[in-house]
Amino acid sequence: SLSKGKIEFENVSFSYKGAVGDPVIKNFSFTCLPGQTVGIIGSTGAGKSSLIQLIPRFYDVTSGAIRVNDIDVKDWDVKELREKIAVVPQKNILFTGTVIENIRWGKEDATFEEIADASKVAEAHDFISAFPEGYETRLGQGGVNLSGGQKQRVSIARALVRKPEILILDDCTSAVDVATESRIKESLKRYAENTTCLLIAQRISSVMDADQIIVLENGEMVGYGHHEELLKSCKVYQEILQS
Ligand code: DCP
């Protein structure tokens, strides 16, 4: 349908339970159209992770509404909602087990071909294949210890194999070098052509070719537009570029 992968925030405010002081998200409104890639940038503590966690209802809005595919997330069956959305969290959550078990997690019926395809897009296939036991290599205790960047790439492959309608990457390429990150983004364009992507990042280079970029500061949207527009008009964006 035409609304597949559409996300709308309407006057969303959010405070963590029991927290005092200003809300973490303040009166945030935004529409992300199906298939768009939207970058979210802002300094540490700006509220980026909090914002995206409201979409799969890891937390609920304090006021306002979020709609996915034109339906209020509060009216979705939570399990169905979460099946549409893959979040690659900032801190990866790989477990002790083989590489293939880790990538297949959440999509138990994935074929080897699907797993290898997702891993290629995530730039993980080559280093996995170079292990003597390949995809059967055990991770963690008694097995191989991956580097931070390799763990992030396996986590991305895990999200991709689920073929979500909405893919949320929460600063999950911070330990991946810029050239590899750029190849992942290029491959993603083809692999996830109709997928709505939210891309949280610290570096401007990670979001500069997104369809739209949101600049978040203290829980508020202080800039919105393309890279070129923000360079001209958004002071916070210019500061992030120079930092
Ligand atoms: N916060 C909180 N309780 C949590 C998580 C966060 O009170 N369980 C607070 C800490 C910050 C604010 O919410 O003041 C926003 O935190 P986020 O993690 O959402 O901010 P960012 O994702 O923008 O920060 P970073 O880039 O460091 O991940």
Side-chain angles (χ1 to χ4, degrees):
S1 87
L2 285 174
S3 63
K4 200 173 157 218
K6 182 174 170 192
I7 311 165
E8 278 174 289
F9 289 79
E10 190 185 331
N11 299 326
V12 169
S13 293
F14 171 68
S15 299
Y16 286 97
K17 276 209 172 62
V20 287
D22 268 9
V24 168
I25 301 295
K26 296 167 197 146
N27 205 33
F28 184 90
S29 295
F30 178 73
T31 300
C32 180
L33 296 175
Q36 271 193 335
T37 295
V38 174
I40 306 174
I41 199 153
S43 53
T44 172
K48 305 180 295 294
S49 297
S50 304
L51 182 73
I52 56 98
Q53 294 193 59
L54 300 171
I55 304 168
R57 288 191 65 188
F58 296 154
Y59 296 97
D60 278 328
V61 301
T62 307
S63 64
I66 298 175
R67 285 182 290 274
V68 167
N69 300 0
D70 292 330
I71 299 168
D72 194 315
V73 291
K74 287 187 172 155
D75 296 328
W76 274 100
D77 175 276
V78 174
K79 190 166 169 281
E80 269 180 54
L81 177 70
R82 290 183 185 167
E83 271 166 13
K84 296 179 178 298
I85 305 172
V87 181
V88 184
Q90 216 168 75
K91 253 185 83 91
N92 73 78
I93 38 163
L94 302 184
F95 53 82
T96 303
T98 64
V99 173
I100 197 160
E101 285 165 353
N102 267 281
I103 298 176
R104 189 179 268 146
W105 187 75
K107 178 92 169 67
E108 300 307 319
D109 61 350
T111 64
F112 180 77
E113 200 187 349
E114 287 169 332
I115 287 166
D117 281 349
S119 302
K120 281 175 193 162
V121 174
E123 293 284 327
H125 178 75
D126 288 351
F127 76 76
I128 294 168
S129 304
F131 293 134
E133 292 177 273
Y135 281 84
E136 298 301 330
T137 302
R138 216 176 142 69
L139 300 181
Q141 245 175 22
V144 163
N145 285 314
L146 299 180
S147 73
Q150 287 174 327
K151 284 182 193 162
Q152 290 186 327
R153 284 137 80 183
V154 171
S155 305
I156 294 171
R158 174 193 281 175
L160 294 181
V161 97
R162 291 178 47 204
K163 300 230 169 87
E165 281 178 31
I166 297 170
L167 174 66
I168 303 175
L169 305 177
D170 186 356
D171 203 12
C172 64
T173 49
S174 54
V176 177
D177 64 275
V178 174
T180 306
E181 180 193 43
S182 151
R183 285 201 301 276
I184 295 174
K185 282 194 296 173
E186 272 309 305
S187 313
L188 254 181
K189 276 184 201 156
R190 285 186 303 275
Y191 183 87
E193 203 190 339
N194 300 312
T195 306
T196 304
C197 291
L198 298 186
L199 209 67
I200 297 182
Q202 302 280 351
R203 305 186 284 240
I204 298 274
S205 65
S206 307
V207 295
M208 60 185 287
D209 50 8
D211 298 315
Q212 303 289 352
I213 303 163
I214 295 169
V215 186
L216 206 62
E217 179 81 344
N218 293 323
E220 283 178 288
M221 190 194 283
V222 297
Y224 168 64
H226 300 117
H227 174 69
E228 301 294 334
E229 289 164 354
L230 289 168
L231 272 185
K232 280 187 218 138
S233 65
C234 180
K235 198 159 168 287
V236 176
Y237 194 75
Q238 293 159 0
E239 283 165 7
I240 296 168
L241 184 68
Q242 279 149 22
S243 65

